[in-house]
Structure formats: structure tokens, C-alpha cells
């Protein structure tokens, strides 16, 4: 097993303190387990007890197979300790976040953070970001409101929008597309307002993806999957060291599948992600990575909701309508192409200071056309009559749209930051400071059908619409965006925004076991929106907004030892109008309408504990999240008043790691109490916040029998549960609870070949994935995937 020296004298902050100033990390073996590591004790006489304790924590990331210290004599007669380390990769508290603004690991970051580790994604055969996030409570997938809906990855965190809060290695990914997971190392969900770290937005939190980059071990990994729904998928992951300090990593994916339990739906996608790192393991390193993904898929806007005798609206599939029904047309299409080029510099200037500079350019192309179904009162009356076959749904969302559009976007971002660790007397400090500059541009051409799309049967829909063609005027028959002067009818929608932000935070250890962290971020936000061309009946419209925002954060941390922490965190975030430029789901309003930005406050008390010699990690948090000036967009794309105040409070628990030898588990639970505390709409007051469940839980566990023998077998499974949620602020529509049972069984033929069988939704329960205000998307039915993997 690989060995590496661990610096003995490190600060009383956790392992990530060492990461920030270039201390080594423990290597992983090919199966994800922590490799053995030897640490020599060279403690200086001036080191405090907390310094020694921190070092022992670094060296004692051990599971049940780890051994205690052994004592050795040096040539000069002094003694040194050595530790053998074999820690569990499922204990996610040890995961570094890989972001310069968050230089410490999960254990010592004062916020609720859920990690989806690489081992879990491999065991579940995760194929997309959406699938990975099923393991995180408080995450809800949304189809996406406004401009007829956006589809792609649209998520809510703790009930609040996070559609512009998806990051890759700490940089925003502005694209509106469905992300494949072929290049993921892990996924982190940082919950609660985080504008001090990431800038405007992050009301519910942020999603950060850590991608694969070059390591010092050469390998070639290839997988092939096939199974239900005509599923075919192949992936390739190659790592090679060109020299002792230059490494390349290449990941690729090809995927074709239909959707089990839904008619006509498919996804045909491919992607590549090459990267090269100069200075692997050196004080100065620079990584260049490129990402491309092309996807041609059929968008799914699910099934409409309706009610029987003035009861709560429910999905029509709860009243006997087939879950396979799809209400789109042959004109529907979601065709996207994403390209991102990223450069990341890390320079460990000395043992006290590290400098980072991350740059990304992104280009996004998309053609999107979808049918937005609605079941009106007549449709509902027929459904519950003696002639349900006469029930007909609209494909136009109740109005004259949505209509197709072509989207061409580009973005650029640069984040320059520095992390400094130093002492002033007996007080230790860590300062993080930097500047973040980003620009995003969105250009959209709207198309209009020459005639309004006819409806189709609710029970037996047809996707064929003879004679339906796109008109040449680019004019909407209805004003879908409800903007002044009917600009929703214009052919071209153009949006852009520039954000210049500066951030600063300091963590000071007043005593070795207690620290205070305080910081802020200032942003200057400048955005524009225009609607031009097309219909001459309305004038072209140009809107703009400039705004300065200030978002502070304060945390108190009690760390009695190196493997536990109790904390309090207060944070604020701001969401200005026009933030979601590429989504175009929140266009600007005129200054006369008096819309104010959303403001959110988080109050959180939590505890984190790495137990049983770091085999298991436990977290618990109690939080209260308040959002003022809530901006809502309904199913027609209309922006509603911004006077609502919403509150979500609750408890979140998690446990992850190795229960005993060969037995791993990761489990989470969340209990939420959400409410609209004030609203201009009387019917919304006191109601549960839409899309927020009261209870949500996940558990995944595996056990390996006879490892390292010809008779080895790993088996396991898990449960994903989400209680019923309301779909609208007035709580008149509700979607039933989700319960999904999944399972896995695998066998290693030798050290290189492995076969795996995954089963999903084993009881074939009718669950619902993406949620909308007046419709929901049925999740996949029972499915099985067979996977063959080779690793050399």
C-alpha cells in the first residue's frame, strides 16, 4: 500500500486546514477505501495539545481494520509514532469540498452539507445529476416555470429555487440541460443561504459537482450497461501520468434509453471530458479541462392535475388514467449542446498562503419545444362522468402557448482568491478573500405555430397533429410573460447580466476549542432584458436593473476535539430580479411596478461527530429559513406579487460510514415545518410552502460476503421516501407520497472485472418526479440494469 509522510505540526483546524496550505491527503485504493498511510511524529516542543490532537485525527482516519500506533526509535534516540490508516470512504464527513472559498472538510464547515460520494454513485449506477440527488433530503425536482417551462435540471432546495445555483468545481454552470454524471467525483449540496460564498441566489443552498481530474495512479476503466427501456450505456475513464508531474484524465460517455413506464420518451446523448494537470502533487498546479455534452431527448411535462367534487387537485393518474400517457406532439424536442472550458490554478506560496484562480467559458445551444397539458373543468367533468372517453386536455397550458424557441447563450467567469493561515500571539486565523467576476448572455428566438395546437384525448392521447406547422412571424398568439405592452409577443428575447463581487471572511480560534467565523460578500449586479422584432403591434421593450447587494455570514464553532463540532450559523442571501438569465423564467419588471429582490435569512444550530475511530459520521441540525419578497411564477409564466414572506424550519439528520467490516450505510432524514407567514393573497396565508414535504428520508446499505475470494458477492439496497407535497401556494393541489425501493448485487471475477445488477422501483409504485404547479411527471416504473466493468 502507498505511503506518504504527514506533516506533524498542523493547526488545530481540521485536515482541510492542511489542504489549504498544501499538506498531503491520504490516497485512496482502487475500490475507494483509504489506503494505509504512515505518519512520523516530529512534533516541535512548541506544539500545543490541540496541534497533536489534530495530527492524530489526520493519521487516524481509520475503520475497524485500522491499527493503533507503533513506536519506533530514530537514529538520534528519540521516539516516533506511526499509524496505519484504512478509513471508510462512506464517512462523508472527511470529504474536502474542493472549493477555495470552503477550504475545510465537511466536518469542520459550519453548515448542513450532504455529500453523494463516488462509491454510492457506483453502487447505484447513477447516470445523471437528478439520480445522484435522490440521495439528498430536501431536494425536489421541478420542471421549471416561466416562458412555457424550461425543463433541464431545475431543482428546489428546502422548497426554494436553485435553478441558477448549480456549480462545477466552485464555478457556476449556467446551462439549461439535463446533466449526465459520467465525469463526477462527488456531488455536494450546501444547504441554506450561501450568497457570501457564491454570490447572488442560493436561497435554499447550492449544488457543487466535483469532477474527475488527474491522479498519480494510471488506470483504464470501462463500463457497459444494458437493460429495461432499451437502455444502452458505455463509459470510459482513463488516467495517465505523462511525467512525474503532468497527468491527463479522459472521461467519455454514450447513452441511449427510453423511459420505463412512459410512452415515446427517450434520451440520446454523448459526452467527453478531457483534462490535463501540470504540477500534480506540486506547490504550483494548473488544471485545464474541457466538457462537452450533446443530448437529444423528448421533454416530459407529465400528466395534469384535476379534482373530484371540489376536493384537492391530484394527478389524473390517481383516478385511473394510465401512467404511460404522454400528451406531447411529434414536434416536441429538447436538443441541447453544452461546451465548457475551465482553467484552475493552485499555488501554495508557502506554508501560510495559497492562491487560486479559476476561469470558465461556457457556450450553450438549445432548441426546445414542449406541450404543456391542462385539464379544465369540462375535461374534469367528463373524466368523472359515465363517458370519461370524452375528456380532452389542452396542449397549450390553458393559453396560446408554450411555443418553440431556439436558445444561444455564452458565459464567462473568473474567481481569484487566496487563503491565509497565520497566528497573532496565541490566536490562530484563517482568512479567505477574493474577487468574482461573471457575465452571462442569453439570446432566444421565439417561434409560433400557425394555428393553435388542438387538444387530445385524456385517456388515449395521440401525438400526431396533422397540419401543424411553425408560423413565420415569430409572434405569440398570447402574452405569456405578462410584461408591459405585450412584449411576450415579440420574436427575440435577449438577456444579459454582469456581476462583480468581492468576498472576505475570517475564522479566528480564540482558544483551541472555540472559533468565530465572520464574512461578507458585496456584489454589483447589472442586468438587461429586451423583447424585440416580430409583431409590430407592440413596441420593442428594453428593461434594465442595477443593484448593489451585501450578504453577511457569522458562525460560532465549538470543537472540543478533532472529530466533533457544534456550531451556530447565521447567513443571508439576495436574489435580484433577472438573476436567472439563461432560464428566462424571471424576466425584469419595469421600475414602476416596485418589485424588490428576495432576501433570505438562515439560523442554524448543528453538530457533527466522526465516531468509532472515524468509521461512522453523524450530523444533526436544527434550522429556520425565512424568505421575504418571494417572487413566484405561475404555470403561464406570469410573475406574481413579491410581498409574500415564507418560512421553512426543521431538523435534518444523517449517518454515513462503515457499521462493521464489509457493511456500509448512508442514511438521511429531514423533518420540515413550512409556512407562508404573510401574503397579499389571503388564500395563501398560513399555508404550507409549495413543493416542501413534511418528512423525507433516504437509506442505502450494502454488505460484501467473502471479499477477495472467488466466492465474493456484494448485495444491498435502499429506500427513498418523500411525503406528499402541495403544488401551489394556496394548497389546493397535492401530489401523493413517493416510496421507491432499489437494490444491487455484484460480483468481482478478479481484481479487474466486475458484474453488477441494479433494480429500481422494485414494487413498480406510481411515484412522481418533477413537480409543476398544475401537473407532475410520473417516475420510472420497475427497471433492471446489468453492468459490466473492467478496471486496469
Amino acid at each position: 500500500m502507498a505511503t506518504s509522510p504527514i506533516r506533524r505540526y498542523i493547526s488545530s483546524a481540521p485536515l482541510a486546514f492542511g489542504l489549504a496550505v498544501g499538506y498531503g491527503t491520504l490516497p485512496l485504493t482502487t475500490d475507494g477505501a483509504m489506503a494505509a498511510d504512515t505518519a512520523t511524529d516530529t512534533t516541535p516542543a512548541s506544539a500545543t495539545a490541540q496541534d497533536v490532537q489534530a495530527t492524530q485525527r489526520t493519521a487516524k482516519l481509520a475503520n475497524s481494520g485500522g491499527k493503533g500506533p507503533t513506536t519506533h526509535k530514530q537514529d538520534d534516540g528519540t521516539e516516533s509514532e506511526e499509524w496505519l490508516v484504512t478509513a471508510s470512504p462512506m464517512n462523508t464527513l472527511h470529504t474536502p469540498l474542493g472549493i477555495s472559498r470552503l477550504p475545510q472538510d465537511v466536518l469542520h464547515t459550519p453548515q448542513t452539507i450532504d455529500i453523494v460520494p463516488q462509491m454510492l454513485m457506483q453502487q447505484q449506477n447513477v447516470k445523471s445529476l437528478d439520480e445522484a440527488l435522490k440521495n439528498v433530503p430536501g431536494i425536489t425536482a421541478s420542471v421549471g416555470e416561466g416562458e412555457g417551462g424550461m425543463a433541464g435540471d431545475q431543482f428546489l432546495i428546502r422548497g426554494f429555487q436553485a435553478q441558477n445555483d448549480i456549480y462545477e468545481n466552485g464555478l457556476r454552470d449556467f446551462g439549461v440541460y439535463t446533466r449526465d454524471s459520467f465525469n463526477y467525483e462527488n456531488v455536494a449540496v450546501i444547504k441554506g443561504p450561501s450568497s457570501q460564498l457564491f454570490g447572488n441566489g442560493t436561497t435554499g443552498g447550492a449544488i457543487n459537482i466535483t469532477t474527475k481530474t488527474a491522479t498519480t495512479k494510471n488506470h483504464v476503466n470501462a463500463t457497459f450497461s444494458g437493460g429495461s427501456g432499451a437502455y444502452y450505456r458505455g463509459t470510459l475513464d482513463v488516467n495517465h501520468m505523462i511525467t512525474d508531474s503532468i497527468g491527463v484524465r479522459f472521461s467519455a460517455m454514450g447513452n441511449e434509453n427510453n423511459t420505463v413506464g412512459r410512452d415515446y420518451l427517450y434520451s440520446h446523448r454523448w459526452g467527453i471530458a478531457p483534462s490535463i494537470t501540470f504540477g500534480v502533487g506540486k506547490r504550483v498546479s494548473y488544471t485545464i479541462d474541457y466538457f462537452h455534452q450533446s443530448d437529444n431527448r423528448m421533454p416530459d411535462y407529465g400528466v395534469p392535475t384535476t379534482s373530484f367534487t371540489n376536493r384537492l387537485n391530484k394527478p389524473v393518474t390517481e383516478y385511473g388514467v394510465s401512467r404511460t400517457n404522454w400528451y406531447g406532439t411529434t414536434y416536441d424536442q429538447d436538443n441541447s449542446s453544452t461546451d465548457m472550458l475551465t482553467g484552475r490554478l493552485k499555488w501554495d506560496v508557502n506554508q501560510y498562503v495559497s492562491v487560486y484562480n479559476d476561469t470558465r467559458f461556457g457556450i450553450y445551444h438549445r432548441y426546445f419545444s414542449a406541450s404543456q397539458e391542462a385539464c379544465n373543468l369540462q375535461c374534469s367533468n367528463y373524466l368523472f362522468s359515465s363517458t370519461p372517453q370524452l375528456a380532452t386536455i389542452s396542449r397549450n397550458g390553458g393559453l396560446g402557448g408554450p411555443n418553440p424557441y431556439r436558445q444561444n447563450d455564452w458565459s464567462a467567469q473568473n474567481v481569484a482568491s487566496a487563503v491565509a493561515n497565520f497566528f497573532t500571539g496565541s490566536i490562530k486565523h484563517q482568512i479567505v478573500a477574493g474577487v468574482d467576476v461573471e457575465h452571462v448572455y442569453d439570446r432566444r428566438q421565439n417561434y409560433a405555430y400557425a394555428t393553435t395546437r388542438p387538444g387530445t384525448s385524456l385517456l388515449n392521447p395521440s401525438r400526431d397533429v396533422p397540419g401543424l406547422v411553425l408560423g413565420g412571424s415569430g409572434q405569440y398568439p398570447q402574452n405569456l410573460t405578462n410584461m408591459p405592452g405585450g412584449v411576450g409577443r415579440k420574436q427575440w428575447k435577449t438577456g444579459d447580466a454582469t456581476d462583480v463581487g468581492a468576498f472576505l471572511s475570517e475564522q479566528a480560534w480564540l482558544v483551541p476549542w472555540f472559533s468565530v467565523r465572520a464574512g461578507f460578500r458585496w456584489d454589483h449586479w447589472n442586468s438587461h432584458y429586451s423583447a424585440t422584432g416580430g409583431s409590430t403591434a407592440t413596441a420593442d421593450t428594453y428593461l434594465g436593473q442595477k443593484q448593489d447587494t451585501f450578504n453577511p455570514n457569522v458562525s460560532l464553532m465549538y470543537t472540543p476535539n478533532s472529530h466533533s463540532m457544534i456550531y451556530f450559523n447565521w447567513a443571508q442571501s439576495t436574489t435580484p430580479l433577472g438573476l436567472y438569465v439563461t432560464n428566462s423564467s424571471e424576466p425584469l419588471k419595469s421600475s414602476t411596478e416596485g418589485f424588490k429582490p428576495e432576501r433570505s435569512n438562515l439560523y442554524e444550530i448543528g453538530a457533527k461527530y466522526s465516531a468509532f475511530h472515524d468509521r461512522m459520521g453523524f450530523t444533526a441540525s436544527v434550522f429556520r429559513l425565512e424568505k421575504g419578497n418571494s417572487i413566484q411564477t405561475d404555470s403561464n409564466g406570469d410573475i406574481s406579487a413579491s410581498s409574500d414572506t415564507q418560512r421553512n424550519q426543521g431538523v435534518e439528520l444523517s449517518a454515513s460510514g462503515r457499521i462493521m467490516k464489509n457493511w456500509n450505510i448512508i442514511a438521511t432524514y429531514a423533518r420540515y415545518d413550512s409556512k407562508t407567514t404573510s401574503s397579499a393573497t389571503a388564500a395563501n396565508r398560513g399555508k404550507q410552502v409549495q413543493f416542501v414535504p413534511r418528512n423525507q428520508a433516504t437509506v442505502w446499505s450494502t454488505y460484501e460476503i467473502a471479499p477477495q475470494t472467488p466466492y465474493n458477492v456484494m448485495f444491498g439496497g435502499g429506500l427513498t421516501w418523500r411525503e406528499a407535497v402541495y403544488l401551489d401556494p394556496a394548497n389546493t393541489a397535492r401530489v401523493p407520497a413517493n416510496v421507491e425501493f432499489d437494490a444491487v448485487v455484484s460480483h468481482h471475477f478478479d481484481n479487474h472485472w466486475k458484474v453488477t445488477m441494479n433494480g429500481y422501483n422494485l414494487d413498480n409504485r406510481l411515484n412522481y418526479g418533477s413537480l409543476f404547479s398544475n401537473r407532475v411527471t410520473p417516475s420510472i416504473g420497475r427497471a433492471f440494469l446489468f453492468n459490466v466493468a473492467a478496471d486496469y
Side-chain angles (χ1 to χ4, degrees), residues 90-93 95-97 106-107 109 111-117 120 129 132-139 157-158 186-192 204-210 567 604 608 617-621 623 651-656 666-670 672 696-698:
M90 292 291 270
N91 183 355
T92 58
L93 291 183
T95 305
L97 293 170
V106 173
L107 175 61
T109 301
Q111 202 163 344
T112 298
I113 300 175
D114 291 289
I115 299 290
V116 184
L120 180 62
L129 177 60
L133 293 178
K134 284 172 51 180
N135 297 284
V136 179
I139 295 284
I157 303 177
R158 289 176 173 172
N186 62 58
V187 179
V189 180
I190 304 163
K191 293 183 176 176
I207 300 166
N208 184 65
I209 301 161
T210 300
Y567 66 89
E604 179 173 302
K608 303 181 183 184
F618 300 93
T619 70
S621 64
F623 74 93
V651 178
E652 294 195 3
L653 307 171
S654 74
S656 63
I666 185 166
T668 62
Y669 170 73
Y672 297 138
Q696 196 169 358
T698 68

Side-chain angles (χ1 to χ4, degrees), residues 152-153 168 172-180 182 184 253 269-274 289-296 334-342 360-367 407-411 582:
D153 287 333
E168 189 177 281
R172 285 191 196 264
D173 181 354
F174 289 95
V176 182
Y177 63 103
T178 301
R179 293 161 176 82
D180 195 282
F182 73 98
Y184 291 2
M253 168 275 304
R269 62 185 185 269
W270 66 274
I272 57 173
D289 60 67
Y290 168 73
F291 171 83
H292 173 84
Q293 179 182 311
S294 290
D295 191 358
N296 182 10
D334 184 0
N335 194 340
S336 64
S337 176
T338 300
D339 294 273
M340 292 188 294
L341 179 64
T342 306
R360 169 169 297 156
F361 299 96
I363 298 177
Y364 313 94
H365 300 288
R366 191 175 192 222
Y367 176 81
Q407 188 177 8
N408 294 285
D409 300 344
W410 67 269
S411 66
T582 55

Side-chain angles (χ1 to χ4, degrees), residues 29-31 215-223 235-241 248-250 748-754 788-792:
T29 62
T30 54
D31 62 357
T215 66
T216 56
K217 182 178 180 180
N218 296 336
H219 75 260
V220 177
N221 178 273
T223 69
T235 66
L236 179 66
D237 180 16
V238 180
N239 186 89
H240 182 71
M241 293 296 296
V248 294
R249 189 81 177 259
F250 178 81
H748 282 271
F749 285 105
D750 51 30
N751 292 330
H752 304 291
W753 289 87
K754 181 177 71 171
V788 179
D791 190 356
Y792 286 89

Side-chain angles (χ1 to χ4, degrees), residues 6-19 23-26 34-35 37 39 43 48-63 67 69 81 83-88 91-97 103-109 559-565 608-618:
I6 300 178
R7 188 184 184 107
R8 180 57 171 170
Y9 181 57
I10 60 177
S11 62
S12 60
L15 172 62
F17 226 122
L19 294 177
Y23 300 155
T25 58
L26 302 180
M34 197 71 75
D37 220 295
T43 309
T48 65
Q50 187 74 1
D51 294 324
V52 175
Q53 199 173 46
T55 302
Q56 289 178 346
R57 176 206 175 268
T58 305
K60 290 173 66 177
L61 297 175
N63 61 12
K67 297 180 180 180
E81 283 186 354
W83 290 85
L84 184 65
V85 179
T86 53
S88 168
N91 183 355
T92 58
L93 291 183
H94 299 308
T95 305
L97 293 170
Q104 304 194 37
D105 62 4
V106 173
L107 175 61
H108 293 84
T109 301
T559 52
N561 50 55
S562 58
H563 53 265
S564 61
M565 181 176 72
K608 303 181 183 184
Y609 180 45
S610 188
F612 309 120
H613 300 288
D614 291 314
R615 285 179 315 173
M616 292 289 298
F618 300 93

Side-chain angles (χ1 to χ4, degrees), residues 348-370:
D348 293 326
V349 180
N350 51 44
Q351 62 178 325
Y352 305 109
V353 178
S354 290
V355 175
Y356 303 84
N357 192 82
D358 301 330
T359 308
R360 169 169 297 156
F361 299 96
I363 298 177
Y364 313 94
H365 300 288
R366 191 175 192 222
Y367 176 81
F368 186 77
S369 175

